[in-house]
Amino acid sequence: MAVELKSRDHMWELDDTLEELAYLSDAAGAQVVGRVTQRADRLTPTYMGKGKLQEVQAAVADEQAETVIFDDELTPTQQRNLEAALQVKVIDRTALILDVFGRHARTHEGKLQVELAQHQYLLPRLVGQWSHLERLGGGIGTRGPGETQLETDRRLIRRHIQRIQTELDKVRERRSIYVERRKKASIPTASLVGYTNAGKSTLFNALCNAGVEAENQLFSTLDPVTRRIRLPSGDELLLTDTVGFIQKLSPMVVAAFRATLEELAESDILLHVLDITHPKAPEQAEVVEETLEDLGLSKKPRLLVINKMDLLAESDSGESPMAPPGLQSYPSVLISAARGWNLDLLLEEVEAQLVEMDGPMTVLQSVAGD
């Protein structure tokens, strides 16, 4: 279910964002049986208008649906109202992304980051979990077990969040020591960044034979993996594969993955991997650039890696791929990670860009999540 606000800047068409939501649902193991959309001036306490809510109720009954997934992040009030009206489980986009993250986290750090985001998401939504006790009414002697249990749960979750944050701080300290060692070793660095499923893990495997999972699925890889590779000159380069970006990614989720994303700041160059065959390639590129700007990385040198040229070669269009308008100022390389085409040219361009830069070179890392 998605509502398109008339006042919102529509970079994505409603059908496109719902198609992506369907892919996320598939990655979470759900089967999509129907879609409902609405254009509106504003969101209501039930997210959608009364008539559209009745349409969703009918669809839930007809399809015997067990869950309704919403494309935006719902407020706690909207989620409670919707669950009361629909009498089924209600999930928003953020919860769905966190579920997919949880399925693909393998390392201790990855699991900690997902758990932190899940608990931070849950905390403001605890209200209403004890609504069956609200019939006790108000007045003296009726503060009751409902409120007591709610406050107990809040306190336990806050303590758990603090423990996770402490553990993640230790991870950041270990990573900072590792970064300092890399700097002392003068090993050049960079980062593969891009929209999820752009082919970053496939490229990572092609360059360093890492055996990282690379499926045609959103966020099929989540945890960072680093490998050493050789540049054409024979010098070493470190390549790291980790989570990719996606539209409507909650700031809370980005904050939870801060320890991983901070590594991007240590890179001398960002390799923006773009699936040129995707119909929303320009919009995906804009999401990546906006996320990098939010992370304070907009001024980092950039190399655009235009991926999946093999699929272009198989098409009948005969058109040469063009970089999206916002990326045309960056140098670019056309490759096929799946076929291994032009990977030598990619490494030559990376090395050329690093040589042109002032100061010591650092590590090539990949923000993946293919």
Side-chain angles (χ1 to χ4, degrees):
M1 168 64 197
V3 172
E4 183 179 76
L5 293 179
K6 297 175 183 178
S7 59
R8 198 179 276 173
D9 182 20
H10 304 300
M11 182 174 68
W12 294 73
E13 296 293 333
L14 203 56
D15 288 344
D16 293 319
T17 190
L18 272 180
E19 188 66 28
E20 185 173 86
L21 191 69
Y23 284 136
L24 282 167
S25 302
D26 179 68
Q31 179 182 358
V32 178
V33 296
R35 301 181 184 184
V36 178
T37 62
Q38 181 181 28
R39 282 180 56 88
D41 295 319
R42 61 182 179 85
L43 298 179
T44 71
T46 53
Y47 182 70
M48 70 198 87
K50 182 178 179 180
K52 192 60 65 170
L53 178 60
Q54 292 173 344
E55 182 180 334
V56 175
Q57 289 172 325
V60 168
D62 291 342
E63 299 292 344
Q64 296 184 325
E66 299 175 351
T67 305
V68 180
I69 303 176
F70 291 80
D71 191 47
D72 291 297
E73 182 169 331
L74 301 171
T75 67
T77 298
Q78 287 172 333
Q79 185 168 358
R80 288 195 302 272
N81 291 342
L82 285 166
E83 287 184 339
L86 300 175
Q87 293 296 301
V88 294
K89 189 173 185 179
V90 169
I91 293 177
D92 62 17
R93 187 183 182 92
T94 298
L96 183 61
I97 289 174
L98 289 175
D99 185 89
V100 176
F101 278 6
R103 288 170 176 263
H104 295 298
R106 297 290 181 267
T107 67
H108 178 60
E109 179 185 1
K111 292 177 181 179
L112 281 176
Q113 291 177 128
V114 173
E115 191 175 1
L116 174 61
Q118 288 173 333
H119 279 77
Q120 289 175 329
Y121 174 85
L122 175 63
L123 186 58
R125 290 166 171 79
L126 283 176
V127 179
Q129 297 296 317
W130 304 96
S131 58
H132 60 289
L133 298 171
E134 290 177 355
R135 292 187 299 272
L136 289 172
I140 296 174
T142 58
R143 275 179 73 85
E147 184 171 351
T148 301
Q149 185 63 58
L150 176 60
E151 291 305 317
T152 298
D153 286 353
R154 280 175 169 166
R155 185 165 56 252
L156 290 174
I157 288 181
R158 288 192 183 105
R159 288 176 180 173
H160 196 59
I161 287 174
Q162 289 175 352
R163 286 197 294 269
I164 296 173
Q165 289 174 329
T166 298
E167 289 192 58
L168 283 173
D169 285 341
K170 293 178 181 178
V171 171
R172 292 178 64 196
E173 290 175 5
R174 290 194 294 269
R175 182 178 285 112
S176 66
I177 294 173
Y178 175 61
V179 170
E180 287 302 317
R181 289 176 180 172
R182 291 188 321 214
K183 289 180 178 178
K184 290 180 180 179
S186 298
I187 301 177
T189 71
S191 300
L192 289 173
V193 298
Y195 208 82
T196 184
N197 211 32
K200 297 178 296 298
S201 288
T202 301
L203 176 58
F204 182 79
N205 289 334
L207 290 172
C208 53
N209 194 27
V212 171
E213 185 177 3
E215 299 178 0
N216 184 25
Q217 192 178 69
L218 302 179
F219 302 116
S220 64
T221 57
L222 180 65
D223 301 302
V225 181
T226 302
R227 295 289 185 271
R228 291 182 182 234
I229 62 174
R230 292 282 178 181
L231 292 169
S233 66
D235 291 336
E236 289 186 329
L237 186 71
L238 291 178
L239 180 65
T240 303
D241 184 20
T242 182
V243 68
F245 301 142
I246 194 170
Q247 63 152 331
K248 298 184 181 180
L249 190 61
S250 169
M252 174 201 66
V253 178
V254 175
F257 283 80
R258 181 184 61 173
T260 298
L261 296 174
E262 279 181 350
E263 290 200 10
L264 302 180
E266 301 299 328
S267 304
D268 291 305
I269 186 171
L270 303 179
L271 307 186
H272 183 162
V273 180
L274 177 68
D275 175 4
I276 195 61
T277 66
H278 197 283
K280 304 298 290 185
E283 289 80 4
Q284 290 186 348
E286 187 170 344
V287 168
V288 173
E289 291 302 316
E290 288 178 351
T291 306
L292 291 173
E293 185 174 1
D294 291 341
L295 293 170
L297 301 173
S298 59
K299 295 184 179 180
K300 279 283 183 182
R302 206 84 86 249
L303 174 62
L304 180 61
V305 183
I306 302 176
N307 191 25
K308 304 191 181 181
M309 64 178 293
D310 54 313
L311 299 182
L312 287 177
E314 294 171 359
S315 70
D316 297 327
S317 65
E319 297 179 0
S320 299
M322 295 290 294
L327 297 176
Q328 289 179 358
S329 61
Y330 298 125
S332 62
V333 178
L334 182 63
I335 71 160
S336 168
R339 300 286 186 90
W341 295 352
N342 286 353
L343 298 188
D344 53 343
L345 296 178
L346 170 61
L347 293 179
E348 288 174 6
E349 185 62 32
V350 169
E351 188 163 40
Q353 294 294 321
L354 291 171
V355 168
E356 290 180 6
M357 297 176 192
D358 296 329
M361 296 189 295
T362 14
V363 185
L364 174 62
Q365 310 174 66
S366 158
V367 175
D370 301 29

